[in-house]
Structure formats: structure tokens, C-alpha cells
Amino acid sequence: MSLDEANAAPLSRFADLLTQALAQGRCDKLVLANYQGDDAQLGPDLQRVLARPVQLKGAPHLSLVLRYPTKDITRNLPLANGIQQVMAWAQARSFRNAHLHTPTEEVQLAFSKKGKASVRVGKPSNAEAAQARAEAAAAGRPGSAAVVSAPVDTTSAGHNRDKHRFLELSRPFLHELGVTDANGQLIPAMSRKWKQINKFVEVFAAALARSPLADQQEIHVVDFGSGKGYLTFAIHDWLRHSMGRDARVTGVELRDELVQLCQRVIGKLKLDGMDYEQGDVRDYHPAALNVMIALHACDVATDYAIHLGIRAGAEIIMCSPCCHKQIRPQLLSPHPLRPILQHGIHLGQEAEMLTDGLRALLLDAAGYDTQVFEFISLEHTNKNKMILAVKRAKAKSPDEVINQIRDIKAFYGIHEQCLESLLKADGLLPA
């Protein structure tokens, strides 16, 4: 019996298990490892292939990420074509191992040194299973764990949850930005930043799954005040290389030295669909915008960012406000709160709560489902509040919310709020 004849049965079994897992929505990921370097089309430098099921324009596809030392190439194929491609590589023995991960088992296709194929089915480790479920939930795949409709409470997350990551430390941009060392190991001083990056992607993934963008292939993201670009690069990497989306991500930053730094990283890594520009949210006009991000925009800069997102029709708006100077000098201390608000710290906290509460209500009135929550615990950053708004599929009357805004302003003596003024000037809210 020839080697090809001997391998026919295990290859057929693996193909059946892969096809069944994909059809039943149980495929969390597929990893093709130990590349043999003998495929002329793939080239000699390929490290491995990562495959995940995705929905593109309402149709199931297999997203194949070809990982090279300095770049990733994503190919999105219709499901049948994707399975055919994977099995063609398997039959050619281009990879020594293939690992199919599902919530309940791990299927391994392995080739011996002599090229003989074998299939082994076992149970995944608890950590692998939990990570696979988190990734499946974020992707919103049929048959996977339900996608959370609200952000995860970071203060009550269990011990194991700290180990779940939406990105891998091996990603090249992390080394270029100083998060990892030359060996791809986390630099201890960057551990808090690493946790923040992953939490941000987790929140974004849940919002994306329940937004009108869930099945949209092309996504335009603009990140205002993007700084050194930790989160900007992370969103680009997750969208393009983990999810297989045609993402266009632009970082907008005032400081020229940071713009130049990030442009150098983009050029060095040859990142498609990413750009860094110098600009200010008050006068920046993006050509297209689906996701508007503004973290730590000071005082009314947050209002201008939200206004830009609403005006551009962004499906997702993510803000982490910083400073709340406009409202505080306007505040009255109404009875019976006067004895409490005589303390400056309490007055500042009240101003912060009112400012962000009014922003959330104004987003609600503009057609968004809005949440205000703790983004990441205070041990990691003192700027930890997130305003997350996802555009509604169906419009509803804003009258009730507008009346609530009016009553709150009257109670506290607030005569002007920046976002409200901007929306009224544009006719997006009744004057």
C-alpha cells in the first residue's frame, strides 16, 4: 500500500470532523503548524496558518491568516473553498500538524517523519477552552457562546480570566511599540498597558457583534488623540488579522513626534489599511467613518468627538472622557444636596457624573444605545470610565429623553452643555 493510500482514511476523517465542526458552529479555530517550506506559492518563510469561521455579507467564510515573520496575509474564502484549501495543504503534507479547536475537543492531524498521517481526538485544557469560547463569543458565530450585550465587569472577573487575551504577544506591532522584547516576551513595566489593550479589544468586539457592522466586511475606524497608538494598532491588528475584516484604521494625533513614530512603525511592518495623521478633532473631516474612538480627550474635546461621530453616522462611538471643566462652574447646589456639595471633591465628582450622564442621554436622543461603565479597574489607570454607544437598527422618538435632559439641567442650573449646543446647531436635536 502506498503512503497516499495509507493516508486516505485519516485525511478523510479529519476533513469530516472539520466540515462538521464548521457546519454546526463549533469550530473555534484551526491552526496549521510546522510548515515544511515546500509550497512555491506560500514561500519559504511562512510560519503557520490560522483559520477561523467568519460571516461576510451574510455568508459563511473561512478566514485564513498566513503568518510570516514581518507580516500577515489574510485570505477570506467561501466555506467550501476554505475547507478545500486546507485539505489540499494537508494532502500535500505542507504542514506537519493541524489542530482543530472546538469548545469540547481538540482534533489533531499529525504527520510522522516518514509522512504517515494520524488523527487524534482529545479534550482541550480549561484555559484553551475558555479562550476559544471568549473568541467565539466576540466573533458572534452561530452555535458559539452568546455575545454579551453589555461590557464585562472587570472588577469581578475571575482569576483565570486575566489570562484570556484577544491578541497574541507575538504580534510584531507590540515589539515596535515597546510592549514586548526582541523575544516576544512581555516587558514587566508594560503589563498594565497590555491588560488595558486586551480589555479595550474585548469591549470593542462585543460592541461590534451587536452593531449594524456585525456582518460588514469593510470598516472605517478613526481614533482621535491616539497618542503612541497602542490601542489604534491593536484594533487594526484584531480586525484585519484575527477577524479577517477589510479594516481601514486612522490614528489622529496633535503631537508631531508621535505621528512620525507611528508612521515609521506602519512603514516598517508594511501594514495595509492603516494610517496616522496630524490633526484635531475640532476640524478633522474623515472621508468615511464607521467607528469613532476618542480616549482621554480633555474636557469639551470629548463633546466634539462625539458630535463628529454622530454627524458622520458612526455605528459605534467609544469615548473615555478626561476632565470635566465646563459643567462645574455652572452648578447650583440644590436643597437638600447643599451640605454634601460644599466639599470640593464631591462637587467635582458631581460635575463628572452630570457631564457624562448628559452625554449618554444626548447619544440616546441621537439614536444610540448607550452605556457608561468602568473600562478597566482603578489599579491600572485612574482614567477608567468608558462611554460606549452603538447605533440602533430602528429609530425611536427622542422626546422622553430630551425632557429628561431639560429637567436635569433645570435642577442643577446648567445653562449650556457643549455636545447639546453642537447637535442643536446642526439641527440634529430640536433647538
Side-chain angles (χ1 to χ4, degrees):
M1 181 184 295
S2 69
L3 187 60
D4 287 341
E5 290 174 331
N7 286 344
L11 286 173
S12 176
R13 184 186 180 200
F14 183 79
D16 288 344
L17 291 170
L18 174 61
T19 302
Q20 290 172 13
L22 288 166
Q24 296 168 5
R26 295 187 300 106
C27 176
D28 291 325
K29 64 180 177 180
L30 172 68
V31 181
L32 305 180
N34 290 330
Y35 174 59
Q36 299 303 290
D38 53 4
D39 189 313
Q41 292 184 338
L42 297 177
D45 297 329
L46 180 68
Q47 294 177 331
R48 57 179 172 162
V49 174
L50 306 177
R52 285 187 174 88
V54 297
Q55 290 284 327
L56 301 178
K57 297 183 179 179
H61 285 64
L62 196 63
S63 179
L64 303 172
V65 179
L66 282 63
R67 182 150 294 170
Y68 292 86
T70 59
K71 65 179 180 179
D72 286 351
I73 297 175
T74 301
R75 298 177 182 173
N76 296 317
L77 302 177
L79 206 54
N81 294 353
I83 296 172
Q84 184 179 16
Q85 177 63 83
V86 168
M87 294 314 302
W89 284 329
Q91 289 166 359
R93 298 191 292 278
S94 299
F95 299 85
R96 289 280 299 275
N97 302 94
H99 299 266
L100 170 62
H101 297 265
T102 78
T104 58
E105 61 189 12
E106 179 183 340
V107 180
Q108 180 180 5
L109 170 67
F111 291 92
S112 68
K113 291 183 178 179
K114 295 183 178 180
K116 187 176 180 180
S118 63
V119 174
R120 183 174 59 194
V121 180
K123 292 183 179 181
S125 68
N126 290 337
E128 288 174 343
Q131 173 67 12
R133 286 193 297 272
E135 292 173 351
R141 294 196 293 273
S144 64
V147 176
V148 294
S149 59
V152 177
D153 180 4
T154 58
T155 62
S156 62
H159 173 72
N160 287 336
R161 188 169 191 87
D162 289 341
K163 298 179 182 178
H164 301 164
R165 296 291 179 251
F166 281 77
L167 299 173
E168 298 176 357
L169 279 169
S170 60
R171 301 304 300 136
F173 81 90
L174 291 169
H175 173 57
E176 296 301 325
L177 296 181
V179 178
T180 59
D181 60 22
N183 297 318
Q185 298 299 310
L186 179 65
I187 295 173
M190 298 301 292
S191 60
R192 291 183 176 182
K193 178 58 68 176
W194 174 232
K195 187 167 186 176
Q196 183 191 42
I197 289 169
N198 276 277
K199 187 61 190 177
F200 180 79
V201 176
E202 180 184 354
V203 171
F204 176 74
L208 181 66
R210 61 191 174 90
S211 78
L213 300 172
D215 296 324
Q216 184 170 312
Q217 170 67 355
E218 187 172 325
I219 299 175
H220 295 265
V221 180
V222 180
D223 182 5
F224 292 100
S226 45
K228 194 176 178 180
Y230 297 109
L231 303 183
T232 323
F233 281 89
I235 286 292
H236 173 269
D237 189 88
W238 184 78
L239 279 171
R240 289 187 73 95
H241 303 302
S242 296
M243 301 303 294
R245 302 294 182 91
D246 182 13
R248 300 289 185 268
V249 179
T250 302
V252 180
E253 169 59 41
L254 273 173
R255 290 164 289 184
D256 181 65
E257 66 274 15
L258 294 180
V259 175
Q260 297 300 323
L261 183 152
C262 292
Q263 285 178 341
R264 286 195 297 271
V265 173
I266 293 169
K268 181 177 181 179
L269 300 181
K270 298 179 181 179
L271 298 178
D272 293 330
M274 186 167 184
D275 195 14
Y276 237 77
E277 301 177 6
Q278 189 171 21
D280 190 318
V281 67
R282 296 176 190 239
D283 52 26
Y284 186 85
H285 302 287
L289 179 61
N290 299 117
V291 180
M292 195 290 299
I293 301 170
L295 303 187
H296 308 150
C298 188
D299 196 25
V300 295
T302 295
D303 296 299
Y304 278 91
I306 294 174
H307 171 247
L308 185 149
I310 294 173
R311 188 179 58 195
E315 285 84 356
I316 299 175
I317 294 174
M318 302 179 73
C319 291
S320 180
C322 176
C323 309
H324 301 77
K325 299 176 182 178
Q326 185 192 26
I327 294 294
R328 180 167 177 167
Q330 301 180 49
L331 289 183
L332 299 177
S333 298
H335 180 76
L337 299 178
R338 193 169 296 115
I340 295 175
L341 297 180
Q342 67 177 320
H343 304 290
I345 186 172
H346 289 162
L347 189 63
Q349 291 169 342
E350 186 86 340
E352 178 180 335
M353 179 192 72
L354 286 168
T355 301
D356 295 330
L358 287 171
R359 286 166 172 163
L361 288 170
L362 288 163
L363 279 160
D364 189 317
Y368 290 81
D369 291 321
T370 308
Q371 298 163 290
V372 182
F373 57 95
E374 185 180 73
F375 165 43
I376 194 165
S377 62
L378 284 170
E379 66 178 296
H380 300 290
T381 175
N382 60 353
K383 300 174 181 178
N384 68 327
K385 186 185 291 185
M386 174 74 74
I387 299 175
L388 174 64
V390 177
K391 199 169 188 178
R392 294 191 197 98
K394 295 182 179 179
K396 72 175 186 180
S397 172
D399 293 346
E400 180 180 356
V401 177
I402 290 173
N403 288 334
Q404 291 172 347
I405 294 170
R406 185 181 299 115
D407 291 344
I408 292 169
K409 290 174 62 184
F411 183 76
Y412 282 99
I414 300 170
H415 55 82
E416 183 181 5
Q417 200 283 327
C418 182
L419 178 58
E420 183 184 32
S421 300
L422 291 169
L423 293 173
K424 286 182 176 180
D426 279 351
L428 297 174
L429 283 181

